[in-house]
Amino acid sequence: MKIHFSSNVTLRNSDLCRHVRAWSMVFGLCSIAVVGVGQSNGQTKDDTNRAPENDGSSRDTNFADLKSDTEKFFRDRVTPFIKTYCLDCHSNKKPTEAGVNFSPTLKTPGHAAFSEQWKNAAARVKAHDMPPDYEDQPSDADRQMFVEWLEKIKYLSEKDPGHFVIRRLTKTEYANTLRDLFGVDGSVADTLPDEVSGEGYLNSLSPMQLEQYLEIADKTLDQTWSDKNLNPTKILEPFLNDALELEADARDRARSVARSVAKTVFRRPVSEAEVEVLLEVFDLGTQNELDHQAALRLMLKSMLVSPQFLFITPAGQVESASKIVPLDDYQLASRLSYLLWATMPDAELTSLADQGKLQEPDVLKAQVKRLLADPRSRALFDGFAAQWLRLDDLKTKVFDPDKFPQMTNETRTAMYDEARLFFDSVLRENSSVVSFIESDYTFLNDSLASFYGLEDNVTGRQMRRVKLSSAHRGGLLGMPAILAATSFPNRTSPVKRGVWVLEQVLGEHVPSAPPDVPELKKQDSQDSSNLTLRELTELHTSDPVCANCHTMLDPIGFGLENFDAIGQWRERDDNGEAIDASGELPGGERFSGVAELKAILAGRADQLSRNLVEKLLAYALCRKLEGYDEIVVDELMQTIAADGYRMQTLVEAVVTSYPFTHRRIEDQRISR
């Protein structure tokens, strides 16, 4: 690949790449590209530092007592439990089973590295998966004690905002940022691979990806900068000055342009060292006989492939004796803007960052409200809520065309848009999170109205708000997008739907299925053709390996069996048998159908809200929650509950939280 200019001189991208690498060195980003959000940062107890006393937040007055109680609880009750029921198979003394080793966990139970292990262990003990049936079994009281331990671990954590992730822009964020900088269509970035955001952010930047970014930068500049004709976008205005034609002050003018333009492109002020690297790129162009305008274009292109543009980076090195500091205003502006808009900060956010006002809680809350009121806040659904609801793959999911001819591309789009518009309405109207479960309205067009029996009332492709009267519908559980996403191509799946309710709605941790579980119809030698899906599913409970989990999962899924695989209401199953939609939630609450199931879930506002807070905070931080994060969530829940679990209050609480507004100072470099 080559870069072509009107001067008929070519520069290979490899020449520019060398300067990109040099640029990375300026800000210490040369190796950050291989740090993933899911990786441990190697933190030890000695690495953890308390926040400064004057940071405006404090622990509960009884925190020391809670920590002492937790240490005693672990020493007197959890440790004997582990030694009795776990260490024979999961210790240093023998090859550990399933990769689980409790020996180091017993020494430092509160270490962040063991967070996921504790969650998995508690889930399996709660489900009676562990210990294995052939081992001695703990009493129900001991099992409950072990589950309660999971709620206490957080008190062993020091106050810490957690591992700080400097991450690369996602494909969507990158495309949106180019759009806002240059006015180009977001399709300019279509050649990039699709990515998963949130906890799954990847920070890799391979040579092949860099080549793709170089090509996209060329396309962008080709659309906005042809020879010396520039489209009049604000970012390009500094390049229009004819003074650059004067040989004497060309480099000084290039320095001025670099400083002003790079601040916009990098979303923060630039250092003199970064300006010098930009000037080196300008010099590279002039040394290769490019005219000044072409050399400036090369300099601008180098900005668009630099880590400072592709990654959300801090404004500069922090001079502080503390290892935990507030985010600088520019990074906070970017963190907020990319969370709610999936694009760069606008002029108002940048102005507040310039004034150093964004850290003020009232100012930050006001900006949350402003950003949420803007149409660009749709990004919060496409980026976060679609993941939360597991609708990412709905538009490409395959269904049996003979059985479900209604599943056209138009219907899939309408299903997704219904969920998006519903989420958006709850957010914009600042409704309670309970509205996600029980609601008397939705959004439909003609292709989706027939699912609700409203085809005579709704015509046309335009999605519009529709009042509902059926207790079966309203809220996420009766929404075709959710029901289709949790089905198989040709039938419903009570198991998948049960898991979805437990994990996505209630925030429960469901153990993964054993790898050798057979398909439903292969689980019994008898002819299963006359069995209902409920009867087939209940065959799981005849196998002791499966019974523990499925007695918890299946009854919830049965409550949604009146909806077929694509979310249409039915009274009878595929065999013509009457559907039994009764079931029971963990805790013993029984229901006879989806309406009663929704009513029970709606009564768990605190659990619904906490689950949503945890998922949104993890998405906002680009990492899994651990340790002190759980204490932060406890504090946020007090604020959210006091305001009736309203959605905007929930988002504000996340954005103004300690881990969102602070970062740990640590060496981000790792060996290449």
Side-chain angles (χ1 to χ4, degrees):
M1 183 188 300
K2 298 182 179 181
I3 311 169
H4 295 273
F5 294 94
S6 57
S7 59
N8 295 321
V9 176
T10 61
L11 283 173
R12 294 186 179 277
N13 276 346
S14 57
D15 296 324
L16 187 55
C17 287
R18 285 196 295 272
H19 285 267
V20 172
R21 287 192 291 271
W23 201 336
S24 303
M25 295 291 290
V26 171
F27 208 73
L29 294 174
C30 55
S31 58
I32 210 167
V34 295
V35 180
V37 66
Q39 295 175 309
S40 169
N41 60 6
Q43 178 191 347
T44 65
K45 183 177 180 180
D46 292 335
D47 294 324
T48 304
N49 293 271
R50 296 181 183 272
E53 293 300 323
N54 61 351
D55 68 352
S57 59
S58 62
R59 293 174 183 252
D60 293 334
T61 56
N62 63 344
F63 181 81
D65 291 338
L66 290 170
K67 182 176 182 180
S68 177
D69 175 70
T70 300
E71 291 171 339
K72 185 175 188 302
F73 188 92
F74 181 77
R75 182 176 60 252
D76 296 347
R77 304 192 65 184
V78 179
T79 298
F81 183 97
I82 298 257
K83 289 181 176 179
T84 301
Y85 300 111
C86 308
L87 281 186
D88 282 350
C89 298
H90 303 288
S91 69
N92 286 333
K93 296 180 180 180
K94 60 171 66 175
T96 59
E97 295 189 18
V100 177
N101 184 355
F102 278 107
S103 295
T105 312
L106 289 176
K107 297 178 181 177
T108 54
H111 196 290
F114 305 129
S115 176
E116 198 65 22
Q117 181 171 314
W118 283 123
K119 290 179 182 178
N120 289 329
R124 293 202 172 276
V125 169
K126 181 179 180 180
H128 289 244
D129 275 357
M130 288 289 164
D133 289 340
Y134 52 82
E135 300 283 357
D136 292 338
Q137 297 296 303
S139 66
D140 288 344
D142 280 343
R143 288 185 187 274
Q144 182 59 33
M145 175 277 300
F146 191 74
V147 172
E148 289 175 2
W149 158 243
L150 193 62
E151 294 299 313
K152 292 178 175 288
I153 299 173
K154 59 193 174 189
Y155 298 117
L156 299 180
S157 304
E158 297 294 334
K159 186 170 186 177
D160 190 327
H163 177 48
F164 180 63
V165 178
I166 294 181
R167 67 168 181 83
R168 178 164 52 86
L169 299 181
T170 66
K171 176 181 178 178
T172 298
E173 292 169 339
Y174 173 73
N176 290 346
T177 304
L178 289 179
R179 176 202 64 201
D180 290 348
L181 281 172
F182 298 98
V184 297
D185 191 276
S187 61
V188 72
D190 282 353
T191 54
L192 290 176
D194 292 329
E195 297 171 322
V196 176
S197 56
E199 293 180 37
Y201 275 119
L202 297 177
N203 286 349
S204 61
L205 187 58
S206 67
M208 180 178 295
Q209 286 173 312
L210 185 54
E211 285 288 331
Q212 289 178 307
Y213 285 124
L214 286 162
E215 183 178 350
I216 294 169
D218 270 332
K219 289 180 181 178
T220 299
L221 294 177
D222 285 343
Q223 293 179 34
T224 56
W225 185 325
S226 177
D227 292 327
K228 295 183 181 180
N229 297 318
L230 299 170
N231 289 336
T233 57
K234 187 173 182 180
I235 187 67
L236 294 175
E237 287 176 2
F239 295 98
L240 293 170
N241 196 314
D242 290 337
L244 281 168
E245 295 301 325
L246 301 176
E247 185 69 31
D249 66 351
R251 200 170 191 275
D252 289 340
R253 280 290 302 136
R255 180 188 300 275
S256 176
V257 169
R259 187 175 290 113
S260 64
V261 173
K263 179 185 177 183
T264 302
V265 174
F266 297 166
R267 305 169 289 272
R268 57 169 178 76
V270 292
S271 68
E272 286 305 308
E274 290 169 324
V275 171
E276 287 302 318
V277 175
L278 280 171
L279 287 176
E280 290 178 12
V281 177
F282 178 80
D283 293 340
L284 175 67
T286 58
Q287 290 164 10
N288 281 271
E289 302 180 6
L290 299 184
D291 62 37
H292 293 148
Q293 288 290 333
L296 284 172
R297 170 176 162 146
L298 183 66
M299 186 174 72
L300 179 57
K301 179 180 177 180
S302 73
M303 296 182 201
L304 298 181
V305 296
S306 70
Q308 283 82 342
F309 174 65
L310 298 177
F311 290 77
I312 301 175
T313 61
Q317 300 296 329
V318 176
E319 300 297 333
S320 174
S322 174
K323 289 191 176 182
I324 295 174
V325 298
L327 288 185
D328 65 77
D329 281 62
Y330 296 99
Q331 186 156 45
L332 184 55
S334 287
R335 178 173 265 190
L336 175 61
S337 184
Y338 281 104
L339 171 65
L340 300 184
W341 281 357
T343 191
M344 61 186 288
D346 65 355
E348 184 169 335
L349 275 175
T350 301
S351 175
L352 289 170
D354 287 338
Q355 299 171 59
K357 291 184 176 181
L358 204 54
Q359 283 282 356
E360 298 175 15
D362 289 343
V363 173
L364 190 55
K365 289 179 181 179
Q367 288 302 303
V368 171
K369 289 184 181 297
R370 182 179 72 85
L371 267 63
L372 290 178
D374 189 283
R376 283 172 286 187
S377 63
R378 167 180 175 163
L380 189 60
F381 179 85
D382 293 331
F384 164 69
Q387 280 190 67
W388 164 44
L389 302 176
R390 296 185 177 174
L391 299 181
D392 310 65
D393 302 326
L394 177 62
K395 292 181 180 179
T396 57
K397 187 171 182 177
V398 176
F399 288 88
D400 186 335
D402 295 327
K403 197 168 186 178
F404 303 111
Q406 307 94 325
M407 285 300 287
T408 63
N409 289 335
E410 182 182 353
T411 301
R412 294 171 191 271
T413 299
M415 286 180 173
Y416 185 89
D417 286 345
E418 178 191 15
R420 176 181 62 81
L421 291 168
F422 180 68
F423 176 87
D424 187 65
S425 71
V426 174
L427 182 60
R428 287 177 182 271
E429 296 166 21
N430 200 17
S431 301
S432 166
V433 297
V434 174
S435 300
F436 287 125
I437 303 302
E438 281 195 321
S439 176
D440 63 355
Y441 70 93
T442 191
F443 294 83
L444 304 175
N445 66 3
D446 56 0
S447 67
L448 203 54
S450 61
F451 285 62
Y452 287 78
L454 297 173
E455 58 271 25
D456 295 334
N457 303 80
V458 179
T459 58
R461 295 184 177 181
Q462 183 69 30
M463 299 291 290
R464 82 290 310 264
R465 186 165 176 153
V466 177
K467 184 82 171 178
L468 299 174
S469 58
S470 171
H472 303 144
R473 299 290 188 175
L476 296 173
L477 269 67
M479 204 165 280
I482 303 298
L483 297 160
T486 52
S487 295
F488 289 115
N490 62 342
R491 66 169 176 83
T492 61
S493 172
V495 176
K496 293 179 71 173
R497 288 177 175 177
V499 169
W500 186 91
V501 171
L502 284 174
E503 291 189 335
Q504 308 312 115
V505 177
L506 297 176
E508 299 280 353
H509 190 90
V510 179
S512 56
D516 56 349
V517 174
E519 296 179 13
L520 272 181
K521 292 188 178 181
K522 295 180 179 178
Q523 291 188 341
D524 200 280
S525 58
Q526 66 180 3
D527 182 10
S528 60
S529 60
N530 294 323
L531 297 179
T532 66
L533 182 58
R534 180 168 189 139
E535 291 169 335
L536 276 171
T537 306
E538 286 176 340
L539 290 176
H540 284 93
T541 60
S542 65
D543 185 340
V545 176
C546 304
N548 295 327
C549 280
H550 283 276
T551 53
M552 175 177 63
L553 300 175
D554 299 350
I556 302 173
F558 294 148
L560 301 175
E561 265 300 282
N562 280 115
F563 298 110
D564 70 9
I566 61 172
Q568 299 175 115
W569 184 261
R570 59 183 183 170
E571 298 290 345
R572 296 184 176 275
D573 65 12
D574 292 343
N575 292 332
E577 299 293 329
I579 290 173
D580 177 4
S582 63
E584 181 179 343
L585 281 168
E589 295 166 292
R590 295 181 176 275
F591 54 87
S592 61
V594 64
E596 291 183 7
L597 172 59
K598 291 197 302 177
I600 293 172
L601 294 176
R604 299 187 178 188
D606 193 78
Q607 189 175 1
L608 299 173
S609 181
R610 186 182 184 94
N611 172 53
L612 195 51
V613 168
E614 290 177 342
K615 284 181 165 53
L616 181 58
L617 183 59
Y619 175 83
L621 300 175
C622 313
R623 61 170 176 79
K624 294 181 179 180
L625 301 188
E626 57 192 22
Y628 190 77
D629 296 328
E630 298 297 331
I631 297 175
V632 169
V633 172
D634 289 345
E635 295 171 350
L636 298 187
M637 286 303 301
Q638 295 177 26
T639 300
I640 295 164
D643 194 37
Y645 304 102
R646 295 181 181 276
M647 267 301 290
Q648 287 191 20
T649 304
L650 188 152
V651 176
E652 287 175 10
V654 167
V655 168
T656 57
S657 69
Y658 176 73
F660 190 88
T661 58
H662 288 72
R663 71 181 177 105
R664 182 197 305 155
I665 306 299
E666 56 190 350
D667 188 359
Q668 296 285 351
R669 303 180 189 181
I670 59 175
S671 59
R672 282 181 278 178

